[in-house]
Amino acid sequence: MINITKITKTFNPGTVNENTAIRNLSLTVQEGDFITIVGSNGAGKTTLLNLISGSILPSSGTMYILGNDVTRTPEYKRAAYIGRIFQDPTLGTSGKLSLEHNMNICSRKGFKGLKISLDAKKRQLFREELIALEMGLENRLKDNVGLLSGGQRQALTLLMTVLSRPELLLLDEHTAALDPRNAEIVLSLTQRFVDEGNLTSMMVTHNMKHAIEYGNRLLMMDRGDIILDVSGDEKKNLTVEKLVKKFHEIKQTEYTSDEALLTT
Ligand SMILES: Nc1ncnc2c1ncn2[C@@H]1O[C@H](COP(=O)(O)OP(=O)(O)OP(=O)(O)O)[C@@H](O)[C@H]1O
Ligand SMILES: [Mg+2]
């Protein structure tokens, strides 16, 4: 699905602000992988997703997605098969438009063969999709999205992203701005959508418990590279404590205050 070889990203090269955010990183992602990514602030997690989505291009190295060399391919060309959700619940939908209007825009990609205009058949389809969220949103088709709570809005964004049928789903702390209950709801929806669509997904989180609980593979990033890559039974048997211990073994550091970064 994704083949990244020795990719490096240096911001502001040759200036006093030169900063290598990704350093000689290689990664192969299999179709159907649900990968969780942890790592402290500034480790390069968002930059890695930016490189995969094409919103920034690498300084060196190569990237293949679905067998094509996309190393220099701009973001808008990759958007056809990549869905992305950010931490801020207001980013994925338009607050000034109604739920049905928002869904209609995304449905042009996902529901091929349907009319562009909103009709009864489409409204019924949207209602059925919204019922699956179990948030009562099926009764609010005409409400502006700006009226929804953060959790409802992020669930809607997730639904709309999935309905546009991406091959790859990139989630960047997409539940971090939600209260614990809504975070759990959106996470279990994520799991369900990923399972139902056999979607290849990469999910950045600062919550170690979530990183362990979800997905089939866990990556830990540090200073622009992957320092730990766990899958299969090893991942199933992980605990937060084991993960923090591994981090310190790899970094050859003592248990210090920085585990706070990993356990938040
Ligand atoms: N556009 C940019 N220009 C300059 N430096 C950048 C840019 N984007 C990211 N960086 C730098 O790259 C490094 C990695 O940042 P990145 O946002 O990828 O970290 P992160 O792992 O996502 O952290 P967080 O957990 O805080 O979101 C940081 O030092 C950051 O300041
Ligand atoms: Mg980030």
Side-chain angles (χ1 to χ4, degrees), residues 50-57 70 72-84 109:
N50 282 338
L51 286 164
I52 293 171
S53 71
S55 65
I56 56 173
L57 296 177
V70 297
R72 317 298 315 164
T73 304
E75 184 172 31
Y76 74 92
K77 287 195 178 159
R78 302 189 203 185
Y81 52 85
I82 298 181
R84 194 163 182 196
K109 258 168 96 186

Side-chain angles (χ1 to χ4, degrees), residues 9-245:
K9 178 65 191 181
T10 303
F11 291 109
N12 311 310
T15 72
V16 284
N17 294 323
E18 182 169 307
N19 182 5
T20 298
I22 295 291
R23 206 177 293 269
N24 218 21
L25 180 152
S26 296
L27 171 70
T28 299
V29 176
Q30 308 294 341
E31 220 175 302
D33 264 350
F34 180 2
I35 298 178
T36 57
I37 305 174
V38 294
S40 45
N41 295 115
K45 305 177 298 295
T46 296
T47 304
L48 176 61
L49 296 196
N50 282 338
L51 286 164
I52 293 171
S53 71
S55 65
I56 56 173
L57 296 177
S59 310
S60 61
T62 57
M63 183 176 314
Y64 284 74
I65 301 181
L66 293 163
N68 299 313
D69 185 349
V70 297
T71 311
R72 317 298 315 164
T73 304
E75 184 172 31
Y76 74 92
K77 287 195 178 159
R78 302 189 203 185
Y81 52 85
I82 298 181
R84 194 163 182 196
I85 303 181
F86 300 90
Q87 181 172 341
D88 183 349
T90 65
L91 285 181
T93 44
S94 173
K96 291 199 174 109
L97 299 178
S98 63
L99 267 76
E100 61 180 20
H101 199 144
N102 269 282
M103 291 185 80
N104 195 38
I105 292 167
C106 94
S107 72
R108 284 174 209 171
K109 258 168 96 186
F111 296 115
K112 292 208 170 63
L114 283 183
K115 275 197 259 170
I116 287 175
S117 61
L118 266 165
D119 57 12
K121 189 176 158 200
K122 261 191 164 177
R123 286 201 175 91
Q124 189 49 33
L125 252 173
F126 294 165
R127 216 167 270 131
E128 280 162 21
E129 296 292 349
L130 288 167
I131 286 171
L133 301 183
E134 296 176 29
M135 289 180 162
L137 296 182
E138 63 276 14
N139 302 318
R140 300 184 64 180
L141 275 180
K142 301 219 181 277
D143 275 358
N144 276 1
V145 166
L147 296 171
L148 301 184
S149 73
Q152 289 170 332
R153 194 156 173 180
Q154 202 67 324
L156 177 69
T157 300
L158 184 63
L159 174 67
M160 284 173 41
T161 305
V162 171
L163 288 178
S164 73
R165 309 264 181 263
E167 311 240 13
L168 176 64
L169 184 61
L170 303 177
L171 308 163
D172 197 349
E173 299 190 55
H174 71 311
T175 60
L178 308 180
D179 63 65
R181 196 180 146 264
N182 276 308
E184 293 298 335
I185 292 172
V186 171
L187 275 171
S188 51
L189 272 176
T190 306
Q191 178 81 66
R192 216 182 70 212
F193 287 142
V194 164
D195 290 345
E196 282 172 7
N198 195 27
L199 260 175
T200 309
S201 316
M202 299 174 79
M203 178 175 94
V204 172
T205 176
H206 272 279
N207 186 311
M208 302 288 254
K209 259 176 59 204
H210 292 158
I212 290 167
E213 191 180 334
Y214 292 91
N216 65 314
R217 185 173 168 195
L218 180 149
L219 303 179
M220 185 185 282
M221 289 188 68
D222 185 58
R223 293 175 199 214
D225 203 359
I226 294 162
I227 58 165
L228 185 70
D229 183 347
V230 187
S231 54
D233 283 342
E234 198 187 353
K235 164 133 188 334
K236 282 189 196 122
N237 295 327
L238 265 184
T239 59
V240 173
E241 206 186 9
K242 276 187 198 165
L243 199 51
V244 173
K245 193 161 165 258

